[in-house]
Amino acid sequence: MGSAHSVPAEMRELADRTGFTSEQIEHLHRRFKQLSQDQLTIRKENFDNIPDLEFNPIRGKIVHAFFDKRNLRQESDGLADEINFEDFLTIMSYFRPIEMNMDEEQLDRFRKEKLKFLFHMYDSDHDGKITLQEYRNVVEELLSGNPHLEKESARSIADGAMMEAASICVGQMGPDQVYEGITFDDFLKMWQGIDIETKMHVRFLNVDTIAHCY
Amino acid sequence: MEDVWSLVLRVGAAWVALVFTLIVLPSALGVSLGISEAYLRVLVKTLEWATIRIEKGVKKPQPQIKTSATNGIIERDETPMEKEIVHPHRVDFEFSDIFYFCRKGFEAIVEDEVTQRFSSEELFSWNLLTRTNVNFHYISLRLTVVWVIGVIVRYCFLLPLRITLAAIGITSMIVGTTIVGQLPNSSMKDYLSEVVHLTCSRILVRALSGTIHYHNKENKPQKGGICVANHTSPIDAIILTNDGCYAMVGQVHGGLMGIIQRATVKACPHVWFERSEIKDRHLVTKRLREHVADKNKLPILIFPEGTCINNTSVMMFKKGSFEIGGTIYPVAIKYDPQFGDAFWNSSKYNIVSYLLRIMTSWAIVCNVWYMPPMVRQEGEDAVQFANRVRSAIARQGGLTELPWDGGLKRAKVKDTFKEEQQKNFSKMLVRNGSVGNLSAGTESD
């Protein structure tokens, strides 16, 4: 008892990079230890212990997103086998809400990063394009629980949405043109003017470790 | 050398005599000398002082924040799926629909309602036990000194006292019930068995410095009924038997526990099952039904959650206890975490280290509410009845309700739950789809 609480240098650096406060980082660190069962890294299997997550139809894609090297800001491509706490925080920072003191440039960058995260979730083969097949996969996963909905209906829903996307990105296509897929720039175009920030953030509270009066 | 020995013996004898007159005798007579109350008053004053000192020691001004039962790091967005996923452009599906599930998934990863219940509740203010708040800042010399005194008091004075009492309690329970068990069945035997059980429970409660407030005693479980309560620790049974006699239900253990079980069952008809019998649900239900049908037998005590939960919520009740029939007497138990954490995290601590932790806490303070009896109504199946009783207990104890199974501590979620969510989403889409298909048809032309 009585050890002086000095913020270690790495913590401060993490806080600056990811934008969380040091108390939030401490709290997330405890959560990380809980998930990893006191190991230094998390693997895909560790996410199996979260009952709330089982509920989620796109659970596979969410877990995949944690190990996706593109999201981890690493130069290489593909999937990582395990991630450490720094990587965990990096992924968490995609879901931070916008702050009041951000300027135009920061806001724009923030928005782009969130959209990129979403893009990577759809683009499962990492080729930089969302093809019709990949889109269909996502819709099917979301609808897979309903036995009454046939595969055909799921497909037609996906096709309809893809057509809509194509018309925004490329305009009217000739009968011979084949739409290869949505690139990231097209993706950005689709979202112009639409406010995604409120939909894609998790409200982190400010937690303090010091006592309060009852 | 001899002088030292005789001195030690004299001190030992004086110690035992003191314990006997001040604690054991009043327990037998059911009388309270008021020592516990005085101790608690001093304790509360000290903790209040400590909190104020901590407040003063803090440099930046703290806003008044209300303590919440669940300390979370995120504010969950409770907007239902239907409101969130609106399709203003009359398409069936939009890229953004995935946002909702994405966010829900993230919220679950950062903070998960269920796993939270299996770790001890965190206190917002410090109660001078390092185990509750490890990240504590160093505040002042005076506080540290008080903490050190606290440690000395707890480990050098309270701990030996409590261990002595626990030993006395357990031995007298075994000896007493064995003696009573030799008598032939008669009302005298029942009376004596009641006396022995009550006395030993009281001694054990004092061994934990337990202060229990019982509310609504007029609703106490009657003979031939079933008493159900929420489960936080193995001590729950002792807390309840402190005030009345119950027939316990459980599995036969080995070791010390087994000796206690074998001794007590001679005096009083507890229901102990062999490990093999537990697997056979019909056998279990049959035996319990027989017990309940006999109106002379003591009420059974059951904890339907099946495992220890951290006392901030009530999890799913297993329906087996509610299929037996008879009258159910619900009881809500809520511990005050300020004086000591009673939750047994069985994956982290084994029973011995758990008991040591309990015995080196300040005290165990809890409230017990007896609730009016409930019976299964017409057209209600066991699961619905179980949920009704659970809501009543949660409401009374000020706990939240979770529909999850306590078994999730160790097992995985059933696939049926997962499919529910997917069904809801696709139902929504198909509803939109039947309208949207028409517009899509015209668009693609």
Side-chain angles (χ1 to χ4, degrees), chain A residues 121-149:
Chain A
M121 221 182 239
Y122 275 98
D123 181 23
S124 39
D125 61 2
H126 301 215
D127 65 355
K129 284 204 280 274
I130 302 179
T131 60
L132 183 61
Q133 192 51 47
E134 284 168 344
Y135 198 66
R136 278 184 189 155
N137 280 343
V138 176
V139 178
E140 270 167 22
E141 229 177 85
L142 277 168
L143 302 177
S144 46
N146 191 342
H148 301 296
L149 199 67

Side-chain angles (χ1 to χ4, degrees), chain B residues 100-154:
Chain B
Y100 173 79
F101 291 106
C102 212
R103 198 179 65 229
K104 284 281 162 198
F106 258 79
E107 281 174 356
I109 292 177
V110 172
E111 186 175 273
D112 143 44
E113 275 192 327
V114 176
T115 330
Q116 252 192 339
R117 311 297 168 181
F118 294 129
S119 60
S120 300
E121 192 181 348
E122 272 189 36
L123 288 179
F124 272 96
S125 103
W126 193 37
N127 64 350
L128 293 176
L129 296 171
T130 21
R131 62 187 69 145
T132 38
N133 199 333
V134 192
N135 304 329
F136 218 76
H137 303 232
Y138 173 75
I139 299 290
S140 75
L141 180 65
R142 255 193 258 181
L143 202 59
T144 320
V145 167
V146 172
W147 178 76
V148 169
I149 296 179
V151 168
I152 297 177
V153 164
R154 279 186 294 126

Side-chain angles (χ1 to χ4, degrees), chain A residues 30-31 54 56 146 205, chain B residues 73 101 109 122 418 426:
Chain A
R30 262 179 280 158
R31 178 65 175 157
E54 293 291 308
N56 203 307
N146 191 342
L205 297 171
Chain B
I73 191 176
F101 291 106
I109 292 177
E122 272 189 36
K418 197 159 54 166
S426 49

Side-chain angles (χ1 to χ4, degrees), chain B residues 315-388:
Chain B
M315 291 214 175
M316 187 174 101
F317 275 3
K318 299 204 190 313
K319 63 178 169 117
S321 338
F322 298 89
E323 284 171 338
I324 305 172
T327 335
I328 302 270
Y329 295 89
V331 176
I333 308 178
K334 178 90 178 95
Y335 290 89
D336 188 344
Q338 202 191 15
F339 297 99
D341 178 27
F343 167 57
W344 182 30
N345 192 343
S346 50
S347 35
K348 223 173 161 192
Y349 305 106
N350 62 8
I351 183 82
V352 179
S353 45
Y354 167 70
L355 285 174
L356 271 178
R357 271 170 64 97
I358 290 282
M359 290 195 188
T360 51
S361 311
W362 293 117
I364 301 285
V365 178
C366 67
N367 285 300
V368 175
W369 286 274
Y370 292 110
M371 289 155 59
M374 296 174 134
V375 280
R376 191 156 87 171
Q377 284 164 352
E378 282 295 322
E380 201 181 31
D381 70 354
V383 176
Q384 289 165 331
F385 183 36
N387 285 337
R388 195 160 59 94

Side-chain angles (χ1 to χ4, degrees), chain A residues 8 17 24 46 68 71 80 116 118 120 162-163 174 178 197:
Chain A
R17 201 147 50 79
Q24 285 170 344
N46 293 115
D68 192 337
N71 290 337
K116 204 153 208 197
L118 195 67
H120 289 159
M162 200 67 175
M163 295 239 53
V178 174
E197 284 85 3

